[in-house]
Amino acid sequence: MDRVIVYPGSVPMDTDLLRSGVYAKEGIGRLSEMLFGQGAVSARGLVCTPSASGLSVTIGPGSIVAPGVVDATPFGGAGGGLAADPTLLACQYINPQLQTVAVSSTGATLTVFAVCSERDIDPAVLPFYNAANPTQTQAGVGNAGGNLPTCRTGSLSFVIGTSAPAAPSGGAVVALYTFTVAAGVSTLAGVVPTAGRVFWPTIPELATMTLLQAATTPMALASSSGSLTVPAWASRVELRAIGGGGGGSTSNAMTPADGSFSGSGGGAGGDAWGLYAVNPATGTLTLTIGAGGGQQETGGATVVSYGGATLLQAGGGAGGAFYSSQGSAGGDGGTASGGTIWNLTGGYGGDGQSGVGTFSGNGGNGPWGGGGRCGNIGGKDATAYGAGGGGAYSASANGTTSPGGAGYQGCVLYRFLP
């Protein structure tokens, strides 16, 4: 951090004081970049309270750290001062008191935007040195009595709309809250704003959260495709992906000698497990959950991607099938890739028929069991994530089809970590 040096007896310059302010701003800015990351935005306070009696919201006191520049315009003046400095820097902008902002439209989802800018304020008539008469001072430059601003402040104003306003020169626009206003209403009673991801926890909050998250958070279950938002406090995510189980094989004969009597079981889905780095500013995790396979069908693959790249993938188990009129081999287990802890191939489905000999064509068990049992005139469906369906044996009459059991869908287990 830079600091101004002065010496006894030297003539003080306006730039000595101006540079002290600039150096302080730069020091706070660089420290903010170390804490939040270069280009990051952080907000604190600025509580949004919708009006229960009209169409407006009140924004409370608070502050924002956002990208800006050292000085977009010359700092100081009246024959001296510092030139504008476009060096990029994390800057602090403050809202010292309540501000009420009107909502101009209804029937829309609106966003509260904070406009971060610097401006010169607090004008005053300043005394100036009179070289012609050192015993007297002049009122303003040239004794003209004119006002000059005495403070450069990083300030916040607020705009509500469906799109962001233009950013001021050297400043930024930050989305703080979103809320939906029904068409034709006259008040915002019942409206609940949703805070954006710029409201980071404080260091004491983060330290407490770190211990709690590391010690107590169990893995959560995702059983449908979608996305996961990375919390502001998270730096890692633990993921376990299970592929869908394969379906069991059908049968269409009454006895082994008649032909396709005993179907095989479907294979279980693959199992990939790992730990991965994440960044709250990068985006969301995308989950694709593999479906369970129908009779004699392969289960779907379960995939987790992040930032456009696949993190880990668990393939679906293969369906049981007859490879000949009197031969039915159990489905292979699904493969897995991308795991940093393990990549396990799913269990095989049980074989069914081999000539006139028959075996138990049960479905392969998933990580929590649940493989479908082979069944008379219909295999049993799997009952746990990633498990394979059971094969069918026998039929009500030769040539009729007894269905194989369905495989069970895959899933993703996850937990975010500090």
Side-chain angles (χ1 to χ4, degrees):
M1 179 174 172
D2 296 334
R3 291 177 291 169
V4 174
I5 299 175
V6 296
Y7 300 95
S10 65
V11 177
M13 305 291 290
D14 63 309
T15 53
D16 294 335
L17 294 177
L18 294 174
R19 285 191 293 121
S20 294
V22 169
Y23 294 161
K25 178 181 179 180
E26 288 180 328
I28 293 173
R30 300 307 178 201
L31 178 60
S32 297
E33 291 173 350
M34 292 176 65
L35 290 173
F36 298 108
Q38 195 165 19
V41 177
S42 173
R44 190 68 178 168
L46 304 174
V47 175
C48 179
T49 306
S51 172
S53 59
L55 292 175
S56 65
V57 300
T58 300
I59 308 297
S63 61
I64 290 176
V65 173
V69 299
V70 174
D71 278 304
T73 59
F75 187 31
L82 299 173
D85 185 347
T87 302
L88 297 178
L89 182 71
C91 298
Q92 186 182 59
Y93 305 92
I94 296 175
N95 178 41
Q97 58 191 7
L98 294 174
Q99 290 195 45
T100 299
V101 188
V103 174
S104 60
S105 61
T106 62
T109 297
L110 304 174
T111 300
V112 179
F113 296 98
V115 180
C116 307
S117 63
E118 288 195 327
R119 56 196 179 94
D120 293 344
I121 61 172
D122 295 344
V125 178
L126 300 175
F128 277 77
Y129 179 73
N130 186 353
N133 186 356
T135 63
Q136 295 181 342
T137 57
Q138 296 179 334
V141 178
N143 209 29
N147 289 326
L148 289 173
T150 58
C151 176
R152 174 160 291 185
T153 183
S155 62
L156 295 173
S157 60
F158 303 95
V159 176
I160 298 176
T162 57
S163 59
S169 176
V173 172
V174 177
L176 295 177
Y177 299 93
T178 58
F179 55 86
T180 299
V181 182
V185 299
S186 58
T187 75
L188 298 184
V191 171
V192 179
T194 300
R197 297 178 62 192
V198 296
F199 291 93
W200 294 60
T202 64
I203 291 176
E205 290 170 342
L206 187 60
T208 302
M209 191 178 301
T210 296
L211 294 175
L212 290 175
Q213 291 293 333
T216 65
T217 299
M219 295 186 79
L221 173 69
S223 58
S224 58
S225 299
S227 60
L228 299 175
T229 299
V230 180
W233 51 265
S235 63
R236 299 172 297 159
V237 64
E238 183 179 1
L239 297 165
R240 187 178 182 186
I242 310 297
S249 179
T250 61
S251 65
N252 58 13
M254 296 185 68
T255 69
D258 293 329
S260 301
F261 169 77
S262 179
S264 56
D271 182 350
W273 194 347
L275 194 64
Y276 309 89
V278 291
N279 184 338
T282 298
T284 59
L285 294 157
T286 301
L287 311 183
T288 301
I289 305 297
Q295 57 184 21
Q296 303 187 176
E297 293 181 347
T298 298
T302 295
V303 182
V304 182
S305 59
Y306 178 62
T310 297
L311 291 181
L312 73 171
Q313 177 170 317
F322 276 87
Y323 59 85
S324 68
S325 62
Q326 290 185 314
S328 182
D332 291 341
T335 59
S337 61
T340 61
I341 297 174
W342 69 43
N343 293 294
L344 300 179
T345 299
Y348 292 98
D351 290 339
Q353 186 175 354
S354 178
V356 295
T358 61
F359 305 92
S360 57
N362 297 325
N365 281 323
W368 304 279
R373 183 178 62 80
C374 59
N376 182 31
I377 314 181
K380 304 302 182 182
D381 293 342
T383 59
Y385 292 108
Y393 64 88
S394 189
S396 59
N398 285 340
T400 62
T401 299
S402 295
Y408 207 90
Q409 71 168 71
C411 67
V412 171
L413 295 171
Y414 68 93
R415 64 171 172 172
F416 292 100
L417 299 169

